[in-house]
C-alpha cells in the first residue's frame, strides 16, 4: 500500500479552506499535517513534513505561497484567484528549474462544472445554435457569471476553429435585453432568483433535436472531490497545469 | 345519449383549420357538417344544420363570420387573431340581444399553456423572485414571444395586487442584455435555437426553494383538445368569454 | 399600525425549531416571546404573553402541546408529524368549544411544494398522461417520497372525479421496475443521487404538448415563509385547518 | 473547389430514405445521382456514377446492398438495423480486400444523442451516482428504450474500468418499481407520456453538485446532419466503422 500523501492546507480558516481541511482529513489516502491560517509562518509546512500543499488563501498572498512550495519541492494545488497570465508565466519559468514539481491552478474545482464546459466546447461545432443560461442567487453582483463567460468563449473558439457560422436568428422586433448578452457571438442569459445557488445550462440545437448540458452547484462541498483529485494527480504532472480538465481523462 | 354537436369549420383549408377538421371528425360526440374554405358562402353553414361554428380564418373576415353566427343563433369558438378591445366590445353588445348564444375567443388553445399562465399568476405573490425564459425556433421574428409578454403582465399584476415588492437583484456589473427584457418588472429571456418549437418556463424562487412551471409545445395538434373543450362548453357559457381559462375548472 | 404577533416556539432546540426562532425574530410584524426546548414547562408560554404558538416538537408531545394552546386561547401552527385522522378528529372536537381559536396542521410548509401539488391536481383532468419523478439524496430510506405518494393520490382522485381514463401505455416488453411504481394508477419514479436535496416533477402530457410542474427544495429555510404565512393567517381561520393550501389564495 | 459527392440513396421511398433524399439534394457539396425504392436494380447506382451510397432499407436486404457497394468501390453509410456481430465481422473481412473503401454502420445518426452517450460515459467515473431517465410517447412497446440500455451499459463499463463502486442507495422501504430498472448497476426510469417524442436524461451526482446531460429528439429530421456528416467523412475512414462517434472529434 502506498503511504498517504502528507498535505498542508493554507487558508484553513476560510470557508473553502475549512472544507478542504475536512475533506483531506476524511480521505483515506491522505494525512493532514498542517492547517495554517492568515499570518502563520510557512516554515511550519516544512517542519510538518508536507509533500503537498493546498492554497486557498487570497490573491495578495497566493503567489508567495506557491513560490515557497516550488522552491522547497512541494507539489501545489491552488484555488485562489488572481493568477493572470503574467503571474502564470513567471511561475512556469520558476518551475522550469524544478522539473519534478507539479502545480495545478484551477479557476474551478467542481468536476461537474469543468466537465460541462469541456463537453459544451466539444459539442459546439456539431450544432447550428448554441446559447447559455446561467442562474444564480440574487446577491451576485456580476452578470453573466465568470463561468458562463468562459464557457461562451470556449464555445465561440471551438466554432470558429471548425468554421461554423453564427447561429440563425430571424429576430426583427425585440425588447431591449430579450435576446441576452453577446459573448463572442454566443447569447448568454442571466437569471437571478432567491433560493438558487449556482446553475448553468448550455443549450445546443440542430434540426429536430436539442442537446442540453446542465450543471447544478448546491454547496461548496462540490469543490472537494476536485481538490482531492488534484492532490492525487499533481505529482504525476510536473510543471504548471492551468485548469482541472488537464487532469481529467476525457478522451475515450 | 346526447346527440352529437353539429359543427362547421371555417378556414378549413388553412393549417389550423385542417387540424380542426380532423379533430372534430374524430370526436365521438361531434359531427362535422360543413368545412368551408376562403370565399365559400356562409349560408352553407345554415343549410348543413350546424349549431356550432369554429372560426380559424383571418383577421379580415373573422368579425363578419362571428356576427353571422350570433345572428343565426350558432355558438362560436374563435381562434383567429385580431380581436382587439373595440371589436370585443361590439361583439358583446351584439350578444346582449342573443342571450342564449355563447362565443369563446381564445388567443391560445393549448391547454398546457393556458394552465401554465394561470398557475404562474396565482403563485407569483408567494415568491420573492419570478423570471421567465421562453425558447423558440430561430425563425421567429419577435422577442419575447407574445405568450411570454402576456404571462409577465399577469405575473406583474398579481404581484402588484398583493403588494409584493420587486424581486431582489444585486447586479452591479452586467453585459448589455444579460439580465433580459423588463416586462412590468419581470425579467424575460428569449432563447432562439434550431430544432425547438415553442417552450416556456416560469421560474419562481423563495428562500431555499424554487417552483418551475414549464410548457412545451411540440406540434399544432396541441391546440385541438382546447378547441374541442371549447365546443363542448360554449353553449353552457352564454355571452362572450375571452380566454380558454374561462372554461377551465381551476378552483378546487 | 397593528401590534406584532406574540409568538412562542416549542421545539426551539431542534433543527426546524431553530430555523423558526430565527425567522420569527427577523419578521418585523412578530415578536418572539418564548422559545422552549424539550422538558421546559408550557406555562412559560402563558407567562410570556404569547398569543400564537409554533409546535415543531415530536409526535409524542405535539398533541398535549396543541391541546394546551387551545385550552388557553392561543392560536397554533403545527409542523410536527403524527397527526392521524383520530387525533385530528379529537382536536376538531376540542376546537368546537373554542370558536375563536385557530389551529393549522401542515404536513408541508414549503410554499412551492404545496402549490406544485395543488396545481398538479387541478391540471390532471386536462391531460391524457400524468407521471411523477421525485429525486432525492441517496440517504433517504423510503421510495417514493411521502410527498410524491400524496401528489399521486391527489392526481388520481382528481382524474377519477372528472372521469378521465388511465393514461395510455403500449408497453409490452419491460425490464422489471422500468415503468416505476403504480400509485393509484399514476406512475412514480424515484431517483437517488448524491448531491441532491429534495426535488419533484409532475409531467402532464397531451397531444403535441407537455406541462411540467417542478419543485426544488434546497434548504430547510424553504419552510419558513410557510410558517410565517401560517402565523399571520391562523387567527382569521378559526377551527382546524389541515394543509397550508387552506390558507393560500389559489382561486383567481 | 472540390466536386460534389455523387450520392445514391437506397430505400428512398421509406420515411428515413425520403428525408435523406431531401437532405442530400439540399446539401451544396453533394449531388443526388440515384434514389432507389424496393426492388429496383442496384446496377442503376453504377450507371448513375455514384461514389457514395446511403442504405436506409430493411434488415433483409441491407447486407447484400453493402457488399455490392464494397465490391464496386463505393463508400457506404448505413442506417438499417440488423447488423449483428457476425454480419459486421463478415463485412470487415470483405473490406480487408478493398483497402480504400469505407463503410459506416450507425445505430443512431442523431448527433446530439451520440454525443450525449459519449459524454455520459466519459463523465461516469467522476461521480458517486448515475441514473438515467428516458421519456417517450406512450405507443412505444419496450421499456427502457434501446438507447437508454446502451447508455447504461456504456456508463456501467466506464465505471467498472475506473474501479468506481456502485452508487449509494439507502432505500429500505420501496414500492415495487419505484427505483427503476437495474441495467448493469445503473438505474433506468422509463416515462411514457402523450405528446412526447424521444428524450433522455443522464443524471450524475457528487457531493453538492449535479451534472445533467439531456437529449431531446423532436423529429426524424434530427438524423440528417449525422447522415451528411457520415457521407462527408466515410472516404477518409477506410474499413468498417461502427457508430457515428467514430467520426466525431471528441478529444480536445
Amino acid at each position: 500500500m502506498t503511504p498517504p500523501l502528507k498535505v498542508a492546507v493554507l487558508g484553513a480558516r476560510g470557508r473553502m479552506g475549512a472544507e478542504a481541511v475536512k475533506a483531506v482529513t476524511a480521505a483515506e489516502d491522505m494525512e493532514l499535517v498542517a492547517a495554517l491560517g492568515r499570518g502563520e509562518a510557512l516554515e511550519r509546512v516544512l517542519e510538518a513534513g508536507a509533500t503537498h500543499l493546498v492554497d486557498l488563501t487570497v490573491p495578495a498572498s497566493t503567489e508567495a505561497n506557491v513560490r515557497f512550495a516550488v522552491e522547497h519541492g512541494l507539489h501545489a494545488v491552488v484555488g485562489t484567484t488572481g493568477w493572470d497570465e503574467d503571474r502564470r508565466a513567471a511561475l512556469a519559468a520558476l518551475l522550469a528549474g524544478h522539473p519534478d514539481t507539479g502545480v495545478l491552478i484551477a479557476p474551478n474545482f467542481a468536476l461537474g462544472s469543468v466537465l460541462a464546459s469541456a463537453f459544451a466546447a466539444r459539442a459546439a461545432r456539431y450544432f447550428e445554435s448554441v446559447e447559455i443560461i446561467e442562474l444564480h442567487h440574487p446577491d451576485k453582483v456580476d452578470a453573466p457569471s465568470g463561468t458562463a463567460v468562459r464557457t461562451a468563449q470556449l464555445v465561440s473558439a471551438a466554432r470558429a476553429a471548425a468554421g461554423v457560422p453564427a447561429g440563425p436568428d430571424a429576430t426583427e422586433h425585440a425588447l431591449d435585453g430579450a435576446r441576452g448578452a453577446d459573448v463572442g457571438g454566443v447569447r448568454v442569459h442571466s437569471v437571478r432568483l432567491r433560493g438558487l445557488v449556482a446553475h448553468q445550462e448550455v443549450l445546443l440545437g440542430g434540426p429536430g433535436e436539442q442537446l442540453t448540458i446542465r450543471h447544478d452547484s448546491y454547496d461548496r462541498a462540490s469543490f472537494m472531490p476536485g481538490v482531492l483529485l488534484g492532490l492525487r494527480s499533481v505529482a504525476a504532472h510536473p510543471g504548471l497545469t492551468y485548469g482541472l480538465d488537464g487532469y481529467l481523462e476525457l478522451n475515450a
Side-chain angles (χ1 to χ4, degrees), chain A residues 132 144-145 148-157 180-189:
Chain A
I132 297 174
S145 67
V149 170
R150 275 192 299 273
T151 306
Q153 288 166 341
L154 287 171
V155 162
S156 179
D182 184 322
V183 179
V186 177
R187 297 284 172 166
V188 182
H189 310 269

Side-chain angles (χ1 to χ4, degrees), chain A residues 13 19 42 95 106 135 151 154 174 181 183 188 220 251:
Chain A
R13 315 286 180 260
E19 289 282 335
L42 284 175
L95 278 161
L135 314 95
T151 306
L154 287 171
V183 179
V188 182
R220 77 176 62 86
N251 302 339

Side-chain angles (χ1 to χ4, degrees), chain A residues 112-124 155 202 204 211 213 249-250:
Chain A
S113 177
V114 172
L115 289 166
S117 292
F119 293 155
R122 282 154 203 240
V155 162
V202 182
L204 304 111
L211 176 66
I213 300 170
E249 297 184 23
L250 293 182

Side-chain angles (χ1 to χ4, degrees), chain A residues 130-147:
Chain A
V130 186
E131 301 204 4
I132 297 174
I133 303 171
E134 55 91 346
L135 314 95
H136 284 81
H137 59 84
D139 303 323
K140 188 169 181 61
V141 295
D142 51 330
S145 67
T147 299

Side-chain angles (χ1 to χ4, degrees), chain A residues 140-231:
Chain A
K140 188 169 181 61
V141 295
D142 51 330
S145 67
T147 299
V149 170
R150 275 192 299 273
T151 306
Q153 288 166 341
L154 287 171
V155 162
S156 179
R159 287 168 73 86
V164 178
D169 184 355
T171 308
E172 287 173 21
H173 314 289
L175 292 185
D176 235 37
R179 291 285 291 117
D182 184 322
V183 179
V186 177
R187 297 284 172 166
V188 182
H189 310 269
S190 298
V191 174
R192 296 293 172 263
L193 218 65
R194 178 67 69 213
L196 295 191
V197 188
H199 316 260
Q200 181 172 304
E201 282 185 356
V202 182
L203 298 92
L204 304 111
E209 68 166 344
Q210 186 185 349
L211 176 66
T212 306
I213 300 170
R214 179 177 173 117
H215 181 251
D216 293 276
S217 182
Y218 299 122
D219 192 303
R220 77 176 62 86
S222 67
F223 298 123
M224 292 309 129
V227 170
L228 298 185
L229 187 149
L231 283 168

